Amino acid sequence: MVPVTYAAMQTLDEPRVLESSSRAVSLPVSVIIPVRNEARNLPRCLESLRGAGEVYVIDSGSTDETAEIARSFDAKLVQFHYHGGWPKKRQWAMDTLPLAYDWILLLDADEVLAPESVEEIRQAVSDPRYDGYYFALRMFFLGRVLRHGDASFYTSVRLLRRGKGRFECRFKDQDASMGDMEAHERVVVEGKTAALKNPLVHHNVNSLSRYILKHDEYSNWEAQVWQAGESSYHDLPPALFGTQAQRRRWLKKNLLSLPGSPLLFFLYKYFFRLGFLDGVPGLIYCGFQGIQFFHIKAKIYELRMMRVQ
């Protein structure tokens, strides 16, 4: 394989791309998968993409076998080194990489494309009426499909026409403590969008320790977004009667200001949204959701104290 380098932004090192071999294409899209130490999840994800036109695995210096696994599936491996600011991992990939196809599919390493989705995506990308598509998410958590507790929802747009969509930038002053990938930013599409019928399968837990570490980064980001206030809602402001994403933002925004909101958030998920019907995994999932809320509030308090010192 011959390495090819592309110009990088000033906060990034130059990526190194490993060319893949030719293969039969049943899914005419460019796939972007951001990774960091995903050796456990990546094979399952890449196996579901055997017919994709091209697959880019955007790595962040993994210390496990992630890179070797990507090469074994003939994926194009790119090393991404984040030093803060914007864009982050996936937006940078969409802006920078020489994508060969008119449509981009964004997947995480712990997600799997269902076999029946291949034909649905083939039909979707040939429809000139739409420029982006949502997936429903079928979440596996601790070996069980979660059907309650708001664990099932529509993702941000994950399949989009190249040049027609971008990630919203909630605020630019981000650093590595918030992770190098867009956490809960949504993809904004210029044209019409629609929802696909077949869901993405999401294996949420590699290990509980890994889950906790990832959500520590997410809570860093959430606290900074809260500090940014209304200025962070350029594209999708919170709205009770808006889209699903806007309703979730409205709920979080209004709950964060209430005393005891982490407990209220847990009770909402576990009882009102019937998370208890998912057994012990449902209890752990809803419990972690409440704890995450507590972490966000604690970090908001920390940021305020830092300002007055």
Side-chain angles (χ1 to χ4, degrees):
M1 296 183 181
V2 179
V4 182
T5 58
Y6 301 95
M9 297 189 61
Q10 64 184 93
T11 58
L12 305 170
D13 294 341
E14 290 186 350
R16 180 169 175 264
V17 177
L18 302 176
E19 296 293 342
S20 65
S21 60
S22 60
R23 54 184 172 177
V25 174
S26 59
L27 190 62
V29 298
S30 297
V31 185
I32 294 173
I33 307 172
V35 298
R36 182 176 57 192
N37 292 331
E38 290 286 0
R40 183 171 176 178
N41 289 316
L42 190 58
R44 181 172 50 209
C45 177
L46 293 176
E47 184 63 40
S48 73
L49 296 168
R50 284 289 191 182
E54 63 179 359
V55 178
Y56 280 95
V57 173
I58 317 300
D59 190 22
S60 298
S62 292
T63 56
D64 62 5
E65 295 78 27
T66 292
E68 289 73 16
I69 291 168
R71 295 186 188 103
S72 72
F73 281 86
D74 285 333
K76 300 179 180 181
L77 182 69
V78 178
Q79 288 296 335
F80 175 89
H81 303 280
Y82 181 63
H83 303 296
W86 185 265
K88 301 182 92 171
K89 207 168 193 172
R90 290 184 288 193
Q91 184 62 56
W92 174 87
M94 290 195 294
D95 290 343
T96 306
L97 299 179
L99 304 178
Y101 291 84
D102 291 332
W103 283 82
I104 301 169
L105 176 61
L106 301 168
L107 287 186
D108 291 340
D110 55 5
E111 294 172 339
V112 177
L113 192 67
E116 55 269 25
S117 292
V118 174
E119 182 57 34
E120 184 181 21
I121 291 174
R122 284 174 59 87
Q123 294 179 16
V125 299
S126 64
D127 190 334
R129 295 176 298 170
Y130 299 102
D131 293 306
Y133 294 93
Y134 301 85
F135 285 88
L137 210 62
R138 180 186 297 158
M139 185 182 295
F140 278 80
F141 186 87
L142 294 176
R144 176 169 181 161
V145 178
L146 297 184
R147 305 186 184 279
H148 308 282
D150 270 352
S152 297
F153 52 87
Y154 277 96
T155 66
S156 172
V157 168
R158 294 293 198 87
L159 179 65
L160 64 151
R161 197 184 301 273
R162 183 155 50 90
K164 288 291 187 177
R166 58 174 174 79
F167 280 92
E168 58 175 340
C169 178
R170 299 290 298 275
F171 66 105
K172 292 185 178 181
D173 189 21
Q174 303 191 41
D175 58 55
S177 74
M178 304 171 202
D180 63 1
M181 186 178 77
E182 300 82 359
H184 299 113
E185 291 96 336
R186 311 282 293 188
V187 173
V188 180
V189 175
E190 293 177 10
K192 291 179 63 177
T193 61
L196 297 175
K197 294 180 180 178
N198 295 300
L200 282 179
V201 180
H202 181 68
H203 295 268
N204 197 282
V205 170
N206 188 341
S207 72
L208 289 181
S209 294
R210 179 78 183 277
Y211 181 92
I212 292 167
L213 288 173
K214 287 172 65 175
H215 281 74
D216 180 55
E217 294 180 345
Y218 297 163
S219 62
N220 289 337
W221 181 85
E222 291 272 12
Q224 291 282 0
V225 166
W226 175 264
Q227 287 290 95
E230 296 297 325
S231 64
S232 70
Y233 296 121
H234 303 293
D235 298 298
L236 290 170
L240 180 58
F241 300 106
T243 65
Q244 184 185 58
Q246 289 176 300
R247 289 195 302 273
R248 290 166 70 93
R249 286 184 177 179
W250 183 90
L251 176 65
K252 183 172 288 187
K253 177 184 176 184
N254 285 276
L255 270 178
L256 272 171
S257 59
L258 295 177
S261 55
L263 177 59
L264 292 174
F265 195 56
F266 164 75
L267 295 174
Y268 168 79
K269 293 272 191 178
Y270 192 62
F271 290 106
F272 187 75
R273 300 303 296 171
L274 306 179
F276 65 89
L277 294 178
D278 287 323
V280 174
L283 173 62
I284 295 172
Y285 175 77
C286 293
F288 275 153
Q289 293 286 293
I291 292 168
Q292 178 78 356
F293 225 77
F294 179 78
H295 287 168
I296 295 168
K297 292 199 71 167
K299 290 177 180 180
I300 291 171
Y301 178 79
E302 179 187 38
L303 289 172
R304 287 173 176 168
M305 292 301 100
M306 291 172 63
R307 281 187 172 186
V308 300
Q309 289 178 357

